[in-house]
């Protein structure tokens, strides 16, 4: 797989500094020019790193005031996932913590339902993927995913066992334009019981989404399911006026 982008490495370093108190909470951190000089990168690269930290609620950026360190939010938990994230579970939790078990990996022609959700024709083949994502040995998420083969050439089991999003962004140079996401509760089905150890009375949390590229083409339809006690989705809401 490709080498991790500079802004991701910088994000990791600044995150460590915040969590270790090098950049104390409720104080301003160094400005973008200072950070750009320290890391020997452009201001745009620093901005990308800071944008990601802001989306996690670790910092607050406001024009004219600088960047304020917020630190950890008291109700935040390790298993929380930003509802508006585009980086995937491997990037969020760290590759060393995540294992991916492939349950289904097939290429087929799409059903009418998948045709509508991906906005494709019936003769456009798609990948059908079901993966169990395991966090430090504990079953966490069951992902059901469909992607057009035309947009994601070369997908294979080795990639599925690591990070699909890293392959899309770093190897294929694809950029996400946006997503529509729906979060809802449900009852466990046979797959949840088998792979997530869900009991009949365990509520399930499902994240259903359609993701499109910056050219407007739908690249993914997926439904990710987890037990109610294993993962929460969060939204950072910032009032900047």
């Amino acid at each position: 797989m490709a080498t991790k982008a500079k802004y991701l490495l910088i994000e990791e370093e600044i995150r460590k500094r915040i969590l270790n108190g090098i950049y104390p909470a409720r104080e301003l951190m160094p400005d973008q020019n200072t950070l750009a000089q320290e890391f020997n990168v452009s201001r745009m690269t620093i901005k990308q790193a800071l944008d990601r930290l802001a989306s996690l609620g670790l910092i607050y950026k406001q024009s004219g005031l600088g960047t304020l360190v917020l630190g950890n939010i008291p109700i935040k938990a390790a298993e929380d996932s930003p509802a508006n994230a585009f980086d995937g579970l491997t990037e969020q939790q760290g590759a060393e913590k995540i294992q991916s078990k492939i349950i289904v990996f097939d290429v087929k022609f799409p059903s009418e339902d998948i045709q509508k959700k991906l906005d494709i024709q019936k003769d456009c083949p798609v990948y059908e993927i079901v993966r169990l994502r395991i966090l430090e040995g504990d079953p966490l998420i069951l992902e059901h995913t469909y992607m057009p083969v035309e947009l994601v050439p070369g997908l294979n089991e080795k990639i599925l066992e690591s990070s699909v999003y890293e392959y899309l962004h770093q190897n294929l140079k694809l950029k996400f334009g946006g997503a529509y996401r729906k979060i809802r509760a449900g009852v466990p089905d046979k797959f949840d019981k088998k792979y997530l150890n869900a009991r009949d009375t365990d509520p399930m949390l499902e994240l259903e989404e359609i993701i499109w590229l910056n050219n407007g083409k739908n690249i993914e339809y997926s439904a990710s399911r987890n037990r109610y006690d294993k993962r929460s989705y969060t939204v950072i809401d910032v009032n900047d006026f």
Side-chain angles (χ1 to χ4, degrees):
M1 304 295 281
T3 303
K4 185 174 288 189
K6 286 184 179 179
Y7 73 92
L8 294 175
L9 296 173
I10 294 170
E11 178 213 343
E12 290 178 358
E13 175 59 28
I14 295 176
R15 187 195 311 220
K16 289 178 184 177
R17 295 179 184 182
I18 292 172
L19 297 180
N20 291 333
I22 297 173
Y23 296 154
R26 314 306 168 204
E27 294 187 13
L28 293 175
M29 61 179 291
D31 62 36
Q32 293 187 20
N33 286 330
T34 301
L35 292 171
Q37 291 178 2
E38 177 187 350
F39 290 104
N40 194 29
V41 296
S42 67
R43 280 192 60 186
M44 179 57 67
T45 300
I46 296 297
K47 181 180 182 302
Q48 287 178 291
L50 296 182
D51 284 346
R52 289 172 58 85
L53 292 166
S55 73
L56 296 174
L58 290 173
I59 62 174
Y60 172 60
K61 299 190 302 175
Q62 189 169 25
S63 179
L65 293 180
T67 301
L68 182 70
V69 177
L70 297 179
N72 264 332
I73 297 173
I75 63 172
K76 187 176 181 180
E79 62 271 16
D80 287 349
S81 175
N84 57 347
F86 285 101
D87 50 7
L89 186 66
T90 301
E91 184 60 41
Q92 292 170 19
Q93 296 289 344
E96 70 283 354
K97 296 181 180 180
I98 296 296
Q99 177 186 356
S100 298
K101 178 181 179 181
I102 302 170
I103 298 170
V104 175
F105 180 41
D106 199 5
V107 176
K108 58 172 58 177
F109 290 115
S111 65
E112 289 188 13
D113 181 55
I114 297 301
Q115 290 174 47
K116 292 178 182 177
K117 287 171 177 171
L118 289 177
D119 191 23
I120 55 177
Q121 300 299 315
K122 63 181 180 181
D123 59 352
C124 177
V126 297
Y127 297 108
E128 179 186 15
I129 305 162
V130 180
R131 290 194 300 173
L132 176 63
R133 312 304 299 280
I134 302 167
L135 176 61
E136 297 184 317
D138 191 20
L140 180 65
I141 304 169
L142 196 58
E143 297 176 344
H144 304 255
T145 304
Y146 293 87
M147 291 180 166
V149 174
E150 180 182 17
L151 297 180
V152 191
L155 194 62
N156 56 43
E157 291 190 356
K158 183 177 180 180
I159 296 168
L160 292 180
E161 289 172 348
S162 54
S163 172
V164 174
Y165 281 9
E166 182 178 340
Y167 177 70
L168 297 180
H169 298 319
Q170 303 299 326
N171 294 69
L172 298 184
K173 306 301 181 184
L174 298 175
K175 293 183 178 180
F176 291 160
Y180 185 87
R181 296 181 169 117
K182 182 189 296 185
I183 302 172
R184 58 190 173 196
V187 296
D189 60 24
K190 62 180 182 180
F191 288 100
D192 300 327
K193 295 175 184 178
K194 180 176 181 179
Y195 294 105
L196 296 175
N197 301 321
R199 298 168 297 185
D200 291 339
T201 56
D202 283 335
M204 303 301 299
L205 192 61
E206 180 180 90
L207 173 66
E208 184 180 24
E209 63 183 343
I210 293 175
I211 297 178
W212 56 88
L213 299 174
N214 59 353
N215 61 9
K217 293 184 178 181
N218 291 350
I219 191 173
E220 176 184 330
Y221 165 71
S222 65
S224 301
R225 295 172 64 86
N226 62 270
R227 274 177 19 199
Y228 75 99
D229 58 343
K230 291 295 183 179
R231 191 188 200 199
S232 300
Y233 291 95
T234 62
V235 176
I236 301 295
D237 196 5
V238 176
N239 181 7
D240 58 0
F241 59 87

